[in-house]
Each structure stands twice: as C-alpha cells, then as structure tokens.
Amino acid sequence: MIRISLRAVAVAVTAVVGALSLTGAASLTGAADPSGASPRSVPIGPGALTRNPLYATGAFRSSACTEPARRADDLGSYRAYLDDLLGCLGRAWSAKFRQAGLRFSPPRVRYITKSVYTGCGQFMASYAASLYCPANKTLWIMLSKEELSDPMGFGLFTVVAHEYGHYAQDRAGILAEFERRSRTLSGKRVLDLNRRIELQADCLSAAFVRSVWSSLGRDRHDWDERVMADDGDMWHGTTRNIRYWLKRGWAGGGPRVCDTFRAPASRVA
C-alpha cells in the first residue's frame, strides 16, 4: 500500500507523534558500482514504467535472511527483527540498482505504535502494518497491539517487503511518472494505473521473499497462506490478480517478470 497526496484517502491532520525510532542501513548509502561506472539518470516519461532499467537485472540472488526471534508485546525484539529484515531488503535492492546502473540508498524508516501523520495522510493503528510515503521518502511501520501479539506471524515480513517495493519504484522513477500521469487522467484510468503500481509491488515483494526463503526456516504453508490472505479492491486489484502477481514474482525471481504496465487490462483489473 502506498500513500501519495493524490489519493482520496490521504487526510492531512496533525504533526507526527508517537515515533519510536529512525533506522536504516547506512552502510548501503551511495551503492557505488564496483566497476567505477557512473550511475545513469533516473528514467523519466513513459519509459520509466515500461522500459525501466530494473527490468533488465534478472532474478534476485539467493541470500540468507534469518528471522530473529520476537517476543509478544516486546518492542525491542520487534525492532531487532525489523532492523534485520530492512538490512536484507537494502542489500537485495542495492544489488538490483547497481546492476541497473541506478543510484540507491535505503529509505528513512519510522517505527510507530499509534496513529500519526506521515506526510501522506494519517496512518491509523488499525489501517495496515506498514506504508511508504514518497513525500518524505519514509517507510512507516506500525507496531500495533495486534501486531505485537503475534510474534510467529509472517505477515509483517511480507508487508514490509511490499512497501519496500514501493520505495524501489520511487527510486527507479516509476512513482514520479505515476504521479505525473495521475494529474490528468480520469478516475477509472487513475485506478487502473494505481492497481498496476500495487500489483507490481506485490510481484517485487514475492520475488524478494523467494530469494531468501531457504534461510527463513519456514514451512511453505506460511507463503501459501500469504498468497491466499488478500481480498481485492479497486485500488489493489481483484483477489485473483493479486494472487497471480504474487505467484509470478515467486516463480520468476526478479523485477523482469513484474512489468505490470505492459500487462493486459484483464491482469490488472
């Protein structure tokens, strides 16, 4: 789920409160190409959606990403868990952007425990586990009472991977082109474009999860349960299409299979 100022659900209210910490994988900043080649400019225009350099990078390389133990109602253990996950995501995406010849640095991250204003609207504690706000390049992660009560759940892992996919879209110029087009499109066409954004993030998150799956020590049931969990809506696509793109990302392994912008309308309905 992404929040941008154009969406009707974004509501501007109070300043940020209840933020626990700011964290990130600082060691990845810059993500210089070891070959010494200068990074290319972020793509703009229609090509940012359909000919993005990320699509030519192939599969994510298999890597280790263990899940530190969490304890119910223990914020410290959840923060340690998320710090590790964000490190895994940062390394995986840094490699993708390096292969694409694009600059990369990790997003800002805020862990919160109550409703806050994110810069893209109000983030309610009951709304979602995480969201990405392009306005301040920040990944917001909600550690609600419900989330803290389920230390064995896999949902937090996959939702954060989805939102990190939105950050990757932002760094690659995809969200900028989405916002530019959204200013002039009619309602139905904006919804179509928004679904392509969301379904691509689903596909990207699945590709990442597959690349670290062997190190997680989880049963395949955890992933199958994730695939079956989402109900579709007009912003995110039908349940059938959400499952299609999750399965496609899992099977294909990288951004190259996640070009939702050239997919037929039936696959992004």
Side-chain angles (χ1 to χ4, degrees):
M1 180 181 302
I2 186 173
R3 285 288 190 87
I4 66 171
S5 59
L6 298 170
R7 289 191 59 172
V9 292
V11 180
V13 283
T14 57
V16 173
V17 292
L20 291 176
S21 68
L22 172 65
T23 184
S27 62
L28 295 175
T29 302
D33 188 331
S35 69
S38 297
R40 68 175 71 179
S41 298
V42 175
I44 59 175
L49 303 182
T50 59
R51 299 187 304 277
N52 200 282
L54 282 179
Y55 302 158
T57 60
F60 283 103
R61 180 178 298 176
S62 295
S63 61
C65 186
T66 57
E67 291 185 87
R70 288 169 288 170
R71 296 180 295 279
D73 303 318
D74 184 340
L75 283 172
S77 66
Y78 270 75
R79 289 175 59 180
Y81 176 91
L82 288 164
D83 285 346
D84 271 30
L85 170 55
L86 290 164
C88 294
L89 283 160
R91 288 188 293 274
W93 278 112
S94 177
K96 286 291 105 190
F97 274 74
R98 186 165 55 248
Q99 291 165 13
L102 298 171
R103 291 186 182 276
F104 180 83
S105 58
R108 299 176 68 224
V109 179
R110 289 283 186 181
Y111 301 151
I112 55 176
T113 58
K114 63 179 73 174
S115 175
V116 302
Y117 178 64
T118 66
C120 294
Q122 191 76 2
F123 189 177
M124 306 301 292
S126 60
Y127 185 62
S130 181
L131 64 83
Y132 172 64
C133 177
N136 49 29
K137 312 297 183 189
T138 299
L139 188 65
W140 298 84
I141 302 176
M142 176 66 73
L143 296 176
S144 64
K145 290 182 179 180
E146 181 180 7
E147 186 62 56
L148 292 170
S149 70
D150 184 20
M152 298 302 294
F154 193 48
L156 184 61
F157 191 102
T158 59
V159 169
V160 171
H162 173 100
E163 296 305 316
Y164 212 103
H166 284 315
Y167 177 67
Q169 290 172 323
D170 195 6
R171 291 296 306 227
I174 293 169
L175 292 191
E177 177 62 11
F178 165 54
E179 185 169 0
R180 185 190 69 78
R181 291 190 181 195
S182 297
R183 296 191 190 106
T184 59
L185 293 176
S186 63
K188 287 185 177 180
R189 295 180 69 188
V190 170
L191 286 172
D192 174 83
L193 195 56
N194 198 94
R195 289 193 295 269
R196 292 176 190 270
I197 289 286
E198 291 292 346
L199 291 167
Q200 182 175 73
D202 281 334
C203 183
L204 294 173
S205 68
F208 165 75
V209 172
R210 178 61 182 271
S211 74
V212 299
W213 185 255
S214 62
S215 67
L216 297 181
R218 286 188 173 269
D219 188 277
R220 178 60 186 267
H221 172 75
D222 290 308
W223 175 249
D224 292 340
E225 188 176 63
R226 164 69 187 95
V227 171
M228 301 299 290
D230 285 338
D231 292 324
D233 59 37
M234 65 180 180
W235 291 102
H236 298 82
T238 64
T239 301
R240 178 182 178 183
N241 280 334
I242 291 171
R243 292 173 183 172
Y244 170 82
W245 287 102
L246 285 169
K247 291 176 180 178
R248 185 173 172 86
W250 176 273
R256 62 188 173 85
V257 302
C258 298
D259 181 2
T260 56
F261 301 101
R262 289 191 290 188
S266 61
R267 282 301 183 193
V268 292

